[in-house]
Amino acid sequence: MTAVSAQRPGVARRVAGRILSLWIMPVALVLWEVVTRWIQAVYFPPPSTVLVRLHELWFSGSWRTFFLTDDAIGNFLPSFTRLAIGWVLGCAVGVGVGVALGRSTRLSAYVDPLVHFGRSIPPPTLVPVFLVLFQFGGSMQVATIVFGVVWPIMINAIEGARYVDRQYLDTAQVFSLSRLDRLRRVILPAAAPKIFAGLRISVSLSLILMIISELVGSTDGIGHRMLQAQGLFDIPTTWAAIVLLGLMGFLLNTTFLLVERRILAWHRGARRTD
Amino acid sequence: MLEINHLRHSYGSHEVLGGIDLKVDEGQLLCIVGPSGCGKSTLLRSIAGLLKPTQGEILINGVPVAGTPDNLAVVFQDYSRSLFPWMSVADNVALPLRRKGMSGARRRTSALEALEQVGLEGAAAKYPWQLSGGMQQRVAIARALAYRPAFMLMDEPFGSVDAQTREDLEDLVLQVRGVHGMTIVLITHDIDESVYVGDRVVVLSKAPSRIVGDLSVGLPYPRDQIATRQLPEFVRLRADVGRLVRGVPG
């Protein structure tokens, strides 16, 4: 009885706190609306105009297509596909190579300079190279995303796999774990907090690279659509694309953090009790 | 069972083990005691195959140790870094059994049995870091028991727990000794503990360490934290071991 009554105000207060902490969003929106209406600048349409355009252009479709319009499907789908393929490939290569390098001092002695050279190249500078290599079409964008995200993932995976606690490895050896078990059940989980730090960076990075690559050379995708609108001086559509990208980034990050919280729950728990 | 011949180990020019000869019989509970920094852990790591000795050889059942023997389990001092925080208690205990070709269900049953032996059947689904230090060390012991080793090494297993828990854990070791005919080597710097738990105590000198004493402990079983420690025999042995550890001639 006491436990219940003690818990209630706590939860209520937490929810109220959550809602209150969101006050900044509507205030900022209203402020933006007021300022833009007041200065009447062509390049800064009020958010109401932008949101109406966002809705009309992409989210006013039939319920059968989840309210997406043809324009949305024609541009979101290719963008998302590239993003997903690029990110997954980058993760696979980054984590795979990173863990191998982290576990082998001999291998990393050879390859480390290469890794540090590779990570120092700003990925957008390679877009022209990939354009020549892959011509127009999806593979150029995918290549740009993979090249961009692979480095932070790899660097973190190397670090994570290299500094696995000595005692974890001793324990694995004492109990004669197989090589595969040692990798899957000891090294990878031990390195997971570091690996996830790299993955977290790569989520936002992949979105940035998707747009950059589409702005430079593409016939569809959100970046391409944005460029098109800009060419037609369709300022509200350009802004609508910016808002859309902001929302996408927010959604991707939130989803990632949810997954990370689940997978690394043990890590937070163990750190709290240390 | 275990045979160590002329074992030496040096880190650079610093000699830690200065020639150790030791034989341990099957089913024995041997305590190795010595002053801190005397190379007890080096000796244990060599037996466990985690360290290649500079000189000499270690035989288990007549077979030289190269890498880690299959029939050996270790309980480390630092339980928090020896149990894996990303696995539940039951999974931690069951993990080494994967190598034995058991089915998932069999592994789980064995793990639960071992947890019951150490009085932790209720903690199977918890994570190690949700348990107290003493309970975590029990989990580590359960993991070693489930593995059914012929040979269990314990490296200052109770060095990081409070006095009350320490006594409970000592009694737990006495209780599981002889299970599956297991031979136990327990390393400690605690003189009382070595006499209370062991049926034989070997004393190491300061580095480069050598064996300076080898005593047989004739205390009756079952041992009791209070009654056993009051026996004249216990008091005499403790004094003998204490003198040997400090290097005072008896």
Side-chain angles (χ1 to χ4, degrees):
Chain A
M1 200 54 211
T2 40
V4 172
S5 53
Q7 212 175 0
R8 280 237 172 98
V11 171
R13 197 180 302 167
R14 264 220 309 275
V15 172
R18 270 280 162 78
I19 292 167
L20 275 177
S21 71
L22 290 175
W23 66 272
I24 195 86
M25 285 294 286
V27 169
L29 258 175
V30 168
L31 213 68
W32 184 11
E33 181 81 28
V34 170
V35 171
T36 44
R37 275 183 191 279
W38 184 44
I39 59 174
Q40 294 271 330
V42 190
Y43 292 105
F44 294 96
S48 53
T49 316
V50 175
L51 288 178
V52 167
R53 178 59 56 90
L54 186 73
H55 172 75
E56 268 174 8
L57 202 57
W58 291 316
F59 298 103
S60 54
S62 133
W63 62 270
R64 256 182 270 267
T65 54
F66 301 103
F67 304 104
L68 292 174
T69 60
D70 289 344
D71 190 302
I73 294 167
N75 289 303
F76 293 6
L77 207 60
S79 283
F80 261 125
T81 314
R82 289 166 200 148
L83 182 79
I85 297 177
W87 189 71
V88 168
L89 274 178
C91 288
V93 175
V95 172
V97 176
V99 169
L101 287 177
R103 289 315 310 161
S104 160
T105 32
R106 182 126 47 96
L107 201 62
S108 65
Y110 286 120
V111 188
D112 263 3
L114 270 177
V115 171
H116 288 286
F117 179 71
R119 74 185 282 210
S120 312
I121 302 172
T125 55
L126 284 171
V127 168
V129 180
F130 291 144
L131 259 179
V132 177
L133 277 174
F134 298 105
Q135 273 91 39
F136 274 89
S139 20
M140 183 280 277
Q141 283 92 343
V142 171
T144 309
I145 295 173
V146 171
F147 185 84
V149 301
V150 82
W151 305 110
I153 297 174
M154 195 185 291
I155 303 270
N156 278 283
I158 291 176
E159 188 109 326
R162 187 171 289 164
Y163 300 113
V164 172
D165 200 303
R166 178 82 238 154
Q167 181 118 46
Y168 289 154
L169 299 172
D170 282 353
T171 305
Q173 193 186 332
V174 159
F175 288 105
S176 309
L177 295 196
S178 66
R179 288 176 72 90
L180 186 67
D181 276 346
R182 191 176 305 200
L183 179 69
R184 271 180 51 201
R185 291 167 206 280
V186 179
I187 292 169
L188 281 181
K194 270 270 168 201
I195 292 176
F196 268 90
L199 297 184
R200 207 180 312 137
I201 301 169
S202 74
V203 170
S204 356
L205 198 57
S206 59
L207 191 67
I208 297 172
L209 291 168
M210 176 196 88
I211 288 300
I212 290 180
S213 64
E214 285 178 352
L215 283 174
V216 176
S218 185
T219 50
D220 52 13
I222 301 167
H224 167 75
R225 188 68 188 77
M226 209 174 148
L227 199 68
Q228 214 178 25
Q230 190 202 358
L232 297 169
F233 286 100
D234 182 357
I235 308 301
T237 301
T238 315
W239 276 95
I242 292 171
V243 171
L244 177 76
L245 289 170
L247 288 174
M248 265 176 70
F250 179 75
L251 219 71
L252 284 175
N253 272 315
T254 312
T255 316
F256 180 84
L257 284 179
L258 280 177
V259 173
E260 187 191 62
R261 279 171 80 100
R262 271 199 77 94
I263 296 181
L264 291 186
W266 64 267
H267 186 238
R268 288 185 304 141
R271 272 227 308 239
R272 249 204 314 273
T273 51
D274 250 6
Chain B
M1 169 77 224
L2 171 72
E3 196 180 332
I4 299 174
N5 296 322
H6 318 299
L7 187 74
R8 286 171 178 276
H9 194 86
S10 311
Y11 297 105
S13 61
H14 177 58
E15 191 173 40
V16 185
L17 299 179
I20 304 255
D21 290 276
L22 185 65
K23 263 199 183 116
V24 186
D25 296 331
E26 194 173 323
Q28 208 163 46
L29 202 168
L30 168 72
C31 289
I32 298 179
V33 61
S36 42
C38 76
K40 298 186 293 274
S41 287
T42 305
L43 177 60
L44 177 129
R45 291 178 66 83
S46 309
I47 300 173
L50 294 169
L51 201 67
K52 210 172 141 41
T54 319
Q55 233 183 70
E57 61 171 358
I58 299 166
L59 304 162
I60 291 184
N61 290 332
V63 184
V65 169
T68 305
D70 268 346
N71 49 4
L72 174 145
V74 180
V75 176
F76 292 98
Q77 174 178 10
D78 192 352
Y79 44 81
S80 67
R81 294 185 304 135
S82 159
L83 297 173
F84 300 120
W86 49 85
M87 287 179 196
S88 71
V89 164
D91 287 345
N92 262 291
V93 176
L95 179 68
L97 305 178
R98 298 178 62 82
R99 200 61 205 270
K100 305 207 158 186
M102 292 183 183
S103 71
R106 277 275 322 274
R107 288 201 299 267
R108 192 164 169 81
T109 322
S110 299
L112 292 179
E113 264 173 38
L115 283 170
E116 210 178 310
Q117 269 179 300
V118 301
L120 278 181
E121 54 273 25
K126 292 206 166 119
Y127 284 94
W129 37 268
Q130 294 173 312
L131 306 177
S132 70
M135 285 160 99
Q136 289 185 48
Q137 198 57 295
R138 277 170 191 269
V139 175
I141 293 171
R143 176 172 63 186
L145 289 175
Y147 194 57
R148 302 215 169 192
F151 194 45
M152 180 154 97
L153 289 174
M154 306 181 91
D155 184 11
E156 303 224 11
F158 317 133
S160 346
V161 296
D162 61 84
Q164 176 62 45
T165 311
R166 187 182 187 109
E167 291 186 353
D168 293 346
L169 289 171
E170 285 167 5
D171 288 334
L172 176 66
V173 171
L174 284 169
Q175 179 200 320
V176 302
R177 75 182 298 274
V179 174
H180 326 305
M182 195 163 55
T183 309
I184 302 177
V185 172
L186 187 146
I187 284 179
T188 178
H189 63 261
D190 187 319
I191 294 158
D192 276 47
E193 180 170 282
S194 68
V195 176
Y196 178 69
V197 175
D199 44 34
R200 178 179 167 202
V201 176
V202 161
V203 183
L204 294 183
S205 67
K206 278 198 205 119
S209 49
R210 266 174 249 277
I211 292 175
V212 291
D214 190 341
L215 298 87
S216 163
V217 179
L219 296 168
Y221 293 99
R223 293 184 184 171
D224 177 84
Q225 288 287 357
I226 293 164
T228 303
R229 286 174 198 265
Q230 281 178 325
L231 294 174
E233 174 75 354
F234 181 88
V235 178
R236 186 186 64 79
L237 280 165
R238 182 177 61 184
D240 287 352
V241 175
R243 270 191 285 273
L244 287 165
V245 168
R246 285 184 182 78
V248 185

